[in-house]
PDB file of all heavy atoms in Angstrom:
ATOM      1  N   GLN A   1       4.092   6.937  -4.533  1.00 98.00           N
ATOM      2  CA  GLN A   1       2.736   7.165  -5.058  1.00 98.00           C
ATOM      3  C   GLN A   1       2.204   5.908  -5.747  1.00 98.00           C
ATOM      4  O   GLN A   1       1.040   5.533  -5.547  1.00 98.00           O
ATOM      5  CB  GLN A   1       2.738   8.334  -6.042  1.00 98.00           C
ATOM      6  CG  GLN A   1       2.773   9.696  -5.382  1.00 98.00           C
ATOM      7  CD  GLN A   1       2.761  10.829  -6.398  1.00 98.00           C
ATOM      8  OE1 GLN A   1       3.212  10.657  -7.534  1.00 98.00           O
ATOM      9  NE2 GLN A   1       2.262  11.979  -5.998  1.00 98.00           N
ATOM     10  N   ASP A   2       3.049   5.254  -6.531  1.00 98.00           N
ATOM     11  CA  ASP A   2       2.622   4.042  -7.237  1.00 98.00           C
ATOM     12  C   ASP A   2       2.316   2.909  -6.251  1.00 98.00           C
ATOM     13  O   ASP A   2       1.332   2.186  -6.402  1.00 98.00           O
ATOM     14  CB  ASP A   2       3.700   3.599  -8.229  1.00 98.00           C
ATOM     15  CG  ASP A   2       3.781   4.504  -9.446  1.00 98.00           C
ATOM     16  OD1 ASP A   2       2.841   5.298  -9.659  1.00 98.00           O
ATOM     17  OD2 ASP A   2       4.786   4.431 -10.184  1.00 98.00           O
ATOM     18  N   VAL A   3       3.178   2.764  -5.238  1.00 98.00           N
ATOM     19  CA  VAL A   3       2.950   1.728  -4.221  1.00 98.00           C
ATOM     20  C   VAL A   3       1.660   1.996  -3.468  1.00 98.00           C
ATOM     21  O   VAL A   3       0.808   1.111  -3.293  1.00 98.00           O
ATOM     22  CB  VAL A   3       4.134   1.673  -3.231  1.00 98.00           C
ATOM     23  CG1 VAL A   3       3.800   0.762  -2.050  1.00 98.00           C
ATOM     24  CG2 VAL A   3       5.399   1.191  -3.926  1.00 98.00           C
ATOM     25  N   ASP A   4       1.499   3.238  -2.999  1.00 98.00           N
ATOM     26  CA  ASP A   4       0.317   3.627  -2.231  1.00 98.00           C
ATOM     27  C   ASP A   4      -0.961   3.429  -3.041  1.00 98.00           C
ATOM     28  O   ASP A   4      -1.978   2.957  -2.527  1.00 98.00           O
ATOM     29  CB  ASP A   4       0.469   5.093  -1.804  1.00 98.00           C
ATOM     30  CG  ASP A   4      -0.721   5.611  -1.018  1.00 98.00           C
ATOM     31  OD1 ASP A   4      -0.754   5.411   0.209  1.00 98.00           O
ATOM     32  OD2 ASP A   4      -1.631   6.207  -1.634  1.00 98.00           O
ATOM     33  N   ASP A   5      -0.900   3.766  -4.320  1.00 98.00           N
ATOM     34  CA  ASP A   5      -2.079   3.635  -5.180  1.00 98.00           C
ATOM     35  C   ASP A   5      -2.509   2.175  -5.309  1.00 98.00           C
ATOM     36  O   ASP A   5      -3.706   1.867  -5.261  1.00 98.00           O
ATOM     37  CB  ASP A   5      -1.759   4.219  -6.563  1.00 98.00           C
ATOM     38  CG  ASP A   5      -2.957   4.186  -7.488  1.00 98.00           C
ATOM     39  OD1 ASP A   5      -4.004   4.758  -7.130  1.00 98.00           O
ATOM     40  OD2 ASP A   5      -2.855   3.579  -8.568  1.00 98.00           O
ATOM     41  N   ILE A   6      -1.549   1.273  -5.463  1.00 98.00           N
ATOM     42  CA  ILE A   6      -1.877  -0.158  -5.555  1.00 98.00           C
ATOM     43  C   ILE A   6      -2.496  -0.644  -4.243  1.00 98.00           C
ATOM     44  O   ILE A   6      -3.496  -1.382  -4.234  1.00 98.00           O
ATOM     45  CB  ILE A   6      -0.617  -0.977  -5.897  1.00 98.00           C
ATOM     46  CG1 ILE A   6      -0.182  -0.682  -7.342  1.00 98.00           C
ATOM     47  CG2 ILE A   6      -0.865  -2.481  -5.710  1.00 98.00           C
ATOM     48  CD1 ILE A   6       1.166  -1.267  -7.714  1.00 98.00           C
ATOM     49  N   PHE A   7      -1.935  -0.219  -3.104  1.00 98.00           N
ATOM     50  CA  PHE A   7      -2.431  -0.643  -1.795  1.00 98.00           C
ATOM     51  C   PHE A   7      -3.845  -0.122  -1.538  1.00 98.00           C
ATOM     52  O   PHE A   7      -4.759  -0.885  -1.198  1.00 98.00           O
ATOM     53  CB  PHE A   7      -1.465  -0.143  -0.712  1.00 98.00           C
ATOM     54  CG  PHE A   7      -1.789  -0.610   0.679  1.00 98.00           C
ATOM     55  CD1 PHE A   7      -2.390  -1.834   0.929  1.00 98.00           C
ATOM     56  CD2 PHE A   7      -1.475   0.191   1.774  1.00 98.00           C
ATOM     57  CE1 PHE A   7      -2.675  -2.263   2.220  1.00 98.00           C
ATOM     58  CE2 PHE A   7      -1.755  -0.218   3.071  1.00 98.00           C
ATOM     59  CZ  PHE A   7      -2.360  -1.443   3.292  1.00 98.00           C
ATOM     60  N   ILE A   8      -4.052   1.187  -1.704  1.00 97.00           N
ATOM     61  CA  ILE A   8      -5.362   1.787  -1.422  1.00 97.00           C
ATOM     62  C   ILE A   8      -6.417   1.282  -2.410  1.00 97.00           C
ATOM     63  O   ILE A   8      -7.552   0.958  -2.016  1.00 97.00           O
ATOM     64  CB  ILE A   8      -5.282   3.325  -1.462  1.00 97.00           C
ATOM     65  CG1 ILE A   8      -4.303   3.844  -0.388  1.00 97.00           C
ATOM     66  CG2 ILE A   8      -6.658   3.952  -1.258  1.00 97.00           C
ATOM     67  CD1 ILE A   8      -4.660   3.474   1.029  1.00 97.00           C
ATOM     68  N   SER A   9      -6.054   1.182  -3.686  1.00 97.00           N
ATOM     69  CA  SER A   9      -7.007   0.655  -4.684  1.00 97.00           C
ATOM     70  C   SER A   9      -7.381  -0.781  -4.354  1.00 97.00           C
ATOM     71  O   SER A   9      -8.541  -1.181  -4.500  1.00 97.00           O
ATOM     72  CB  SER A   9      -6.397   0.726  -6.086  1.00 97.00           C
ATOM     73  OG  SER A   9      -6.143   2.056  -6.464  1.00 97.00           O
ATOM     74  N   GLY A  10      -6.404  -1.558  -3.912  1.00 98.00           N
ATOM     75  CA  GLY A  10      -6.672  -2.943  -3.531  1.00 98.00           C
ATOM     76  C   GLY A  10      -7.636  -3.042  -2.365  1.00 98.00           C
ATOM     77  O   GLY A  10      -8.545  -3.891  -2.368  1.00 98.00           O
ATOM     78  N   LEU A  11      -7.465  -2.177  -1.355  1.00 98.00           N
ATOM     79  CA  LEU A  11      -8.391  -2.172  -0.214  1.00 98.00           C
ATOM     80  C   LEU A  11      -9.821  -1.880  -0.676  1.00 98.00           C
ATOM     81  O   LEU A  11     -10.782  -2.497  -0.203  1.00 98.00           O
ATOM     82  CB  LEU A  11      -7.956  -1.119   0.818  1.00 98.00           C
ATOM     83  CG  LEU A  11      -6.698  -1.431   1.636  1.00 98.00           C
ATOM     84  CD1 LEU A  11      -6.254  -0.196   2.421  1.00 98.00           C
ATOM     85  CD2 LEU A  11      -6.953  -2.593   2.601  1.00 98.00           C
ATOM     86  N   LYS A  12      -9.954  -0.948  -1.600  1.00 97.00           N
ATOM     87  CA  LYS A  12     -11.290  -0.605  -2.110  1.00 97.00           C
ATOM     88  C   LYS A  12     -11.873  -1.747  -2.934  1.00 97.00           C
ATOM     89  O   LYS A  12     -13.052  -2.092  -2.777  1.00 97.00           O
ATOM     90  CB  LYS A  12     -11.212   0.680  -2.943  1.00 97.00           C
ATOM     91  CG  LYS A  12     -10.901   1.920  -2.099  1.00 97.00           C
ATOM     92  CD  LYS A  12     -10.768   3.166  -2.973  1.00 97.00           C
ATOM     93  CE  LYS A  12     -10.493   4.393  -2.106  1.00 97.00           C
ATOM     94  NZ  LYS A  12     -10.288   5.622  -2.910  1.00 97.00           N
ATOM     95  N   GLU A  13     -11.075  -2.334  -3.795  1.00 97.00           N
ATOM     96  CA  GLU A  13     -11.560  -3.422  -4.659  1.00 97.00           C
ATOM     97  C   GLU A  13     -12.000  -4.639  -3.858  1.00 97.00           C
ATOM     98  O   GLU A  13     -12.947  -5.335  -4.236  1.00 97.00           O
ATOM     99  CB  GLU A  13     -10.453  -3.814  -5.647  1.00 97.00           C
ATOM    100  CG  GLU A  13     -10.188  -2.761  -6.716  1.00 97.00           C
ATOM    101  CD  GLU A  13      -8.872  -3.002  -7.449  1.00 97.00           C
ATOM    102  OE1 GLU A  13      -8.250  -4.076  -7.210  1.00 97.00           O
ATOM    103  OE2 GLU A  13      -8.455  -2.132  -8.246  1.00 97.00           O
ATOM    104  N   GLU A  14     -11.312  -4.905  -2.745  1.00 97.00           N
ATOM    105  CA  GLU A  14     -11.627  -6.073  -1.915  1.00 97.00           C
ATOM    106  C   GLU A  14     -12.668  -5.773  -0.845  1.00 97.00           C
ATOM    107  O   GLU A  14     -12.971  -6.624  -0.008  1.00 97.00           O
ATOM    108  CB  GLU A  14     -10.343  -6.601  -1.252  1.00 97.00           C
ATOM    109  CG  GLU A  14      -9.284  -7.093  -2.221  1.00 97.00           C
ATOM    110  CD  GLU A  14      -9.714  -8.359  -2.950  1.00 97.00           C
ATOM    111  OE1 GLU A  14     -10.454  -9.167  -2.350  1.00 97.00           O
ATOM    112  OE2 GLU A  14      -9.297  -8.542  -4.111  1.00 97.00           O
ATOM    113  N   GLY A  15     -13.209  -4.542  -0.836  1.00 96.00           N
ATOM    114  CA  GLY A  15     -14.221  -4.171   0.156  1.00 96.00           C
ATOM    115  C   GLY A  15     -13.670  -4.023   1.561  1.00 96.00           C
ATOM    116  O   GLY A  15     -14.414  -4.158   2.546  1.00 96.00           O
ATOM    117  N   LEU A  16     -12.363  -3.726   1.671  1.00 97.00           N
ATOM    118  CA  LEU A  16     -11.718  -3.620   2.978  1.00 97.00           C
ATOM    119  C   LEU A  16     -11.495  -2.172   3.406  1.00 97.00           C
ATOM    120  O   LEU A  16     -11.198  -1.902   4.565  1.00 97.00           O
ATOM    121  CB  LEU A  16     -10.352  -4.332   2.947  1.00 97.00           C
ATOM    122  CG  LEU A  16     -10.389  -5.843   2.709  1.00 97.00           C
ATOM    123  CD1 LEU A  16      -8.980  -6.355   2.412  1.00 97.00           C
ATOM    124  CD2 LEU A  16     -10.981  -6.556   3.920  1.00 97.00           C
ATOM    125  N   TYR A  17     -11.645  -1.229   2.486  1.00 96.00           N
ATOM    126  CA  TYR A  17     -11.281   0.166   2.758  1.00 96.00           C
ATOM    127  C   TYR A  17     -12.040   0.741   3.946  1.00 96.00           C
ATOM    128  O   TYR A  17     -11.455   1.384   4.819  1.00 96.00           O
ATOM    129  CB  TYR A  17     -11.534   1.013   1.510  1.00 96.00           C
ATOM    130  CG  TYR A  17     -11.066   2.459   1.626  1.00 96.00           C
ATOM    131  CD1 TYR A  17      -9.733   2.795   1.394  1.00 96.00           C
ATOM    132  CD2 TYR A  17     -11.962   3.480   1.951  1.00 96.00           C
ATOM    133  CE1 TYR A  17      -9.298   4.116   1.483  1.00 96.00           C
ATOM    134  CE2 TYR A  17     -11.536   4.799   2.040  1.00 96.00           C
ATOM    135  CZ  TYR A  17     -10.209   5.114   1.809  1.00 96.00           C
ATOM    136  OH  TYR A  17      -9.781   6.421   1.915  1.00 96.00           O
ATOM    137  N   ASP A  18     -13.348   0.513   4.005  1.00 93.00           N
ATOM    138  CA  ASP A  18     -14.162   1.097   5.076  1.00 93.00           C
ATOM    139  C   ASP A  18     -13.972   0.396   6.411  1.00 93.00           C
ATOM    140  O   ASP A  18     -14.442   0.886   7.448  1.00 93.00           O
ATOM    141  CB  ASP A  18     -15.646   1.084   4.686  1.00 93.00           C
ATOM    142  CG  ASP A  18     -15.940   2.047   3.538  1.00 93.00           C
ATOM    143  OD1 ASP A  18     -15.165   3.010   3.374  1.00 93.00           O
ATOM    144  OD2 ASP A  18     -16.925   1.827   2.810  1.00 93.00           O
ATOM    145  N   ASP A  19     -13.297  -0.749   6.406  1.00 94.00           N
ATOM    146  CA  ASP A  19     -12.993  -1.444   7.663  1.00 94.00           C
ATOM    147  C   ASP A  19     -11.691  -0.932   8.282  1.00 94.00           C
ATOM    148  O   ASP A  19     -11.338  -1.315   9.391  1.00 94.00           O
ATOM    149  CB  ASP A  19     -12.865  -2.954   7.420  1.00 94.00           C
ATOM    150  CG  ASP A  19     -14.170  -3.571   6.953  1.00 94.00           C
ATOM    151  OD1 ASP A  19     -15.235  -3.040   7.316  1.00 94.00           O
ATOM    152  OD2 ASP A  19     -14.118  -4.570   6.208  1.00 94.00           O
ATOM    153  N   VAL A  20     -10.991  -0.112   7.527  1.00 96.00           N
ATOM    154  CA  VAL A  20      -9.688   0.415   7.960  1.00 96.00           C
ATOM    155  C   VAL A  20      -9.834   1.902   8.252  1.00 96.00           C
ATOM    156  O   VAL A  20     -10.472   2.633   7.490  1.00 96.00           O
ATOM    157  CB  VAL A  20      -8.630   0.201   6.853  1.00 96.00           C
ATOM    158  CG1 VAL A  20      -7.309   0.884   7.201  1.00 96.00           C
ATOM    159  CG2 VAL A  20      -8.420  -1.288   6.608  1.00 96.00           C
ATOM    160  N   TRP A  21      -9.276   2.358   9.366  1.00 92.00           N
ATOM    161  CA  TRP A  21      -9.378   3.780   9.712  1.00 92.00           C
ATOM    162  C   TRP A  21      -8.366   4.606   8.916  1.00 92.00           C
ATOM    163  O   TRP A  21      -8.666   5.697   8.469  1.00 92.00           O
ATOM    164  CB  TRP A  21      -9.151   3.974  11.209  1.00 92.00           C
ATOM    165  CG  TRP A  21      -9.496   5.345  11.690  1.00 92.00           C
ATOM    166  CD1 TRP A  21     -10.747   5.848  11.900  1.00 92.00           C
ATOM    167  CD2 TRP A  21      -8.591   6.412  12.012  1.00 92.00           C
ATOM    168  NE1 TRP A  21     -10.681   7.152  12.341  1.00 92.00           N
ATOM    169  CE2 TRP A  21      -9.361   7.525  12.410  1.00 92.00           C
ATOM    170  CE3 TRP A  21      -7.198   6.535  12.004  1.00 92.00           C
ATOM    171  CZ2 TRP A  21      -8.799   8.731  12.807  1.00 92.00           C
ATOM    172  CZ3 TRP A  21      -6.637   7.747  12.394  1.00 92.00           C
ATOM    173  CH2 TRP A  21      -7.437   8.822  12.791  1.00 92.00           C
ATOM    174  N   GLN A  22      -7.152   4.073   8.781  1.00 95.00           N
ATOM    175  CA  GLN A  22      -6.123   4.773   8.022  1.00 95.00           C
ATOM    176  C   GLN A  22      -5.144   3.758   7.453  1.00 95.00           C
ATOM    177  O   GLN A  22      -4.780   2.790   8.119  1.00 95.00           O
ATOM    178  CB  GLN A  22      -5.372   5.756   8.916  1.00 95.00           C
ATOM    179  CG  GLN A  22      -4.359   6.616   8.183  1.00 95.00           C
ATOM    180  CD  GLN A  22      -3.796   7.733   9.060  1.00 95.00           C
ATOM    181  OE1 GLN A  22      -4.384   8.081  10.075  1.00 95.00           O
ATOM    182  NE2 GLN A  22      -2.666   8.296   8.667  1.00 95.00           N
ATOM    183  N   ALA A  23      -4.737   3.992   6.212  1.00 97.00           N
ATOM    184  CA  ALA A  23      -3.789   3.087   5.569  1.00 97.00           C
ATOM    185  C   ALA A  23      -2.849   3.886   4.683  1.00 97.00           C
ATOM    186  O   ALA A  23      -3.188   4.968   4.198  1.00 97.00           O
ATOM    187  CB  ALA A  23      -4.522   2.035   4.736  1.00 97.00           C
ATOM    188  N   GLY A  24      -1.682   3.331   4.481  1.00 97.00           N
ATOM    189  CA  GLY A  24      -0.711   3.985   3.609  1.00 97.00           C
ATOM    190  C   GLY A  24       0.549   3.154   3.505  1.00 97.00           C
ATOM    191  O   GLY A  24       0.657   2.070   4.087  1.00 97.00           O
ATOM    192  N   ALA A  25       1.499   3.664   2.760  1.00 98.00           N
ATOM    193  CA  ALA A  25       2.769   2.964   2.562  1.00 98.00           C
ATOM    194  C   ALA A  25       3.922   3.874   2.944  1.00 98.00           C
ATOM    195  O   ALA A  25       3.825   5.100   2.837  1.00 98.00           O
ATOM    196  CB  ALA A  25       2.906   2.532   1.107  1.00 98.00           C
ATOM    197  N   MET A  26       5.007   3.268   3.429  1.00 98.00           N
ATOM    198  CA  MET A  26       6.218   4.003   3.803  1.00 98.00           C
ATOM    199  C   MET A  26       7.371   3.510   2.927  1.00 98.00           C
ATOM    200  O   MET A  26       7.547   2.299   2.744  1.00 98.00           O
ATOM    201  CB  MET A  26       6.593   3.756   5.270  1.00 98.00           C
ATOM    202  CG  MET A  26       5.425   3.720   6.243  1.00 98.00           C
ATOM    203  SD  MET A  26       4.561   5.275   6.415  1.00 98.00           S
ATOM    204  CE  MET A  26       2.966   4.695   7.067  1.00 98.00           C
ATOM    205  N   LEU A  27       8.161   4.458   2.407  1.00 97.00           N
ATOM    206  CA  LEU A  27       9.360   4.107   1.653  1.00 97.00           C
ATOM    207  C   LEU A  27      10.539   4.171   2.618  1.00 97.00           C
ATOM    208  O   LEU A  27      10.855   5.231   3.161  1.00 97.00           O
ATOM    209  CB  LEU A  27       9.571   5.077   0.489  1.00 97.00           C
ATOM    210  CG  LEU A  27      10.780   4.806  -0.407  1.00 97.00           C
ATOM    211  CD1 LEU A  27      10.661   3.450  -1.092  1.00 97.00           C
ATOM    212  CD2 LEU A  27      10.928   5.916  -1.450  1.00 97.00           C
ATOM    213  N   LEU A  28      11.182   3.024   2.845  1.00 96.00           N
ATOM    214  CA  LEU A  28      12.231   2.938   3.859  1.00 96.00           C
ATOM    215  C   LEU A  28      13.600   3.272   3.274  1.00 96.00           C
ATOM    216  O   LEU A  28      13.851   3.009   2.091  1.00 96.00           O
ATOM    217  CB  LEU A  28      12.257   1.538   4.465  1.00 96.00           C
ATOM    218  CG  LEU A  28      10.913   1.002   4.992  1.00 96.00           C
ATOM    219  CD1 LEU A  28      11.131  -0.311   5.724  1.00 96.00           C
ATOM    220  CD2 LEU A  28      10.224   2.012   5.908  1.00 96.00           C
ATOM    221  N   PRO A  29      14.489   3.826   4.085  1.00 93.00           N
ATOM    222  CA  PRO A  29      15.850   4.128   3.624  1.00 93.00           C
ATOM    223  C   PRO A  29      16.719   2.876   3.666  1.00 93.00           C
ATOM    224  O   PRO A  29      17.823   2.853   4.208  1.00 93.00           O
ATOM    225  CB  PRO A  29      16.325   5.184   4.628  1.00 93.00           C
ATOM    226  CG  PRO A  29      15.621   4.817   5.893  1.00 93.00           C
ATOM    227  CD  PRO A  29      14.274   4.268   5.482  1.00 93.00           C
ATOM    228  N   VAL A  30      16.171   1.797   3.118  1.00 90.00           N
ATOM    229  CA  VAL A  30      16.806   0.475   3.170  1.00 90.00           C
ATOM    230  C   VAL A  30      16.713  -0.143   1.782  1.00 90.00           C
ATOM    231  O   VAL A  30      15.671  -0.047   1.134  1.00 90.00           O
ATOM    232  CB  VAL A  30      16.079  -0.445   4.180  1.00 90.00           C
ATOM    233  CG1 VAL A  30      16.639  -1.854   4.128  1.00 90.00           C
ATOM    234  CG2 VAL A  30      16.161   0.112   5.593  1.00 90.00           C
ATOM    235  N   GLN A  31      17.771  -0.757   1.358  1.00 84.00           N
ATOM    236  CA  GLN A  31      17.715  -1.521   0.110  1.00 84.00           C
ATOM    237  C   GLN A  31      18.042  -2.970   0.422  1.00 84.00           C
ATOM    238  O   GLN A  31      18.813  -3.271   1.338  1.00 84.00           O
ATOM    239  CB  GLN A  31      18.696  -0.956  -0.914  1.00 84.00           C
ATOM    240  CG  GLN A  31      18.243   0.407  -1.442  1.00 84.00           C
ATOM    241  CD  GLN A  31      19.081   0.882  -2.598  1.00 84.00           C
ATOM    242  OE1 GLN A  31      20.303   0.873  -2.525  1.00 84.00           O
ATOM    243  NE2 GLN A  31      18.432   1.291  -3.675  1.00 84.00           N
ATOM    244  N   SER A  32      17.409  -3.852  -0.308  1.00 87.00           N
ATOM    245  CA  SER A  32      17.623  -5.277  -0.042  1.00 87.00           C
ATOM    246  C   SER A  32      17.905  -6.016  -1.345  1.00 87.00           C
ATOM    247  O   SER A  32      17.533  -5.580  -2.436  1.00 87.00           O
ATOM    248  CB  SER A  32      16.394  -5.866   0.644  1.00 87.00           C
ATOM    249  OG  SER A  32      15.315  -5.971  -0.256  1.00 87.00           O
ATOM    250  N   VAL A  33      18.540  -7.157  -1.180  1.00 82.00           N
ATOM    251  CA  VAL A  33      18.883  -7.987  -2.333  1.00 82.00           C
ATOM    252  C   VAL A  33      17.653  -8.768  -2.780  1.00 82.00           C
ATOM    253  O   VAL A  33      16.872  -9.257  -1.966  1.00 82.00           O
ATOM    254  CB  VAL A  33      20.023  -8.963  -1.971  1.00 82.00           C
ATOM    255  CG1 VAL A  33      20.291  -9.932  -3.116  1.00 82.00           C
ATOM    256  CG2 VAL A  33      21.279  -8.191  -1.620  1.00 82.00           C
ATOM    257  N   GLY A  34      17.479  -8.866  -4.074  1.00 77.00           N
ATOM    258  CA  GLY A  34      16.384  -9.648  -4.615  1.00 77.00           C
ATOM    259  C   GLY A  34      16.798 -10.291  -5.931  1.00 77.00           C
ATOM    260  O   GLY A  34      17.897 -10.048  -6.441  1.00 77.00           O
ATOM    261  N   VAL A  35      15.916 -11.124  -6.463  1.00 68.00           N
ATOM    262  CA  VAL A  35      16.176 -11.774  -7.746  1.00 68.00           C
ATOM    263  C   VAL A  35      14.951 -11.596  -8.626  1.00 68.00           C
ATOM    264  O   VAL A  35      13.829 -11.910  -8.219  1.00 68.00           O
ATOM    265  CB  VAL A  35      16.468 -13.284  -7.574  1.00 68.00           C
ATOM    266  CG1 VAL A  35      16.671 -13.932  -8.934  1.00 68.00           C
ATOM    267  CG2 VAL A  35      17.689 -13.499  -6.694  1.00 68.00           C
ATOM    268  N   MET A  36      15.140 -11.051  -9.812  1.00 66.00           N
ATOM    269  CA  MET A  36      14.057 -10.927 -10.778  1.00 66.00           C
ATOM    270  C   MET A  36      14.528 -11.541 -12.079  1.00 66.00           C
ATOM    271  O   MET A  36      15.472 -11.044 -12.703  1.00 66.00           O
ATOM    272  CB  MET A  36      13.662  -9.463 -10.971  1.00 66.00           C
ATOM    273  CG  MET A  36      12.982  -8.841  -9.753  1.00 66.00           C
ATOM    274  SD  MET A  36      12.352  -7.174 -10.081  1.00 66.00           S
ATOM    275  CE  MET A  36      11.581  -6.800  -8.506  1.00 66.00           C
ATOM    276  N   GLY A  37      13.877 -12.638 -12.457  1.00 63.00           N
ATOM    277  CA  GLY A  37      14.365 -13.395 -13.608  1.00 63.00           C
ATOM    278  C   GLY A  37      15.709 -14.008 -13.233  1.00 63.00           C
ATOM    279  O   GLY A  37      15.856 -14.649 -12.202  1.00 63.00           O
TER     280      GLY A  37
END
């Protein structure tokens, strides 16, 4: 929900929402290595 909200809100803020027919985010059953700090 948090990911989707950032994506959809971003499309609206950038004026891209109406140019897209459908948008959303998928949570994958995959974990990956990353570095934060």
Side-chain angles (χ1 to χ4, degrees):
Q1 282 181 333
D2 287 346
V3 171
D4 179 85
D5 183 57
I6 290 171
F7 185 31
I8 299 300
S9 297
L11 288 170
K12 292 177 179 177
E13 290 165 8
E14 297 292 328
L16 296 168
Y17 186 83
D18 292 336
D19 296 331
V20 173
W21 191 76
Q22 185 171 341
M26 320 295 159
L27 181 62
L28 308 187
V30 174
Q31 290 189 310
S32 72
V33 174
V35 178
M36 291 187 178

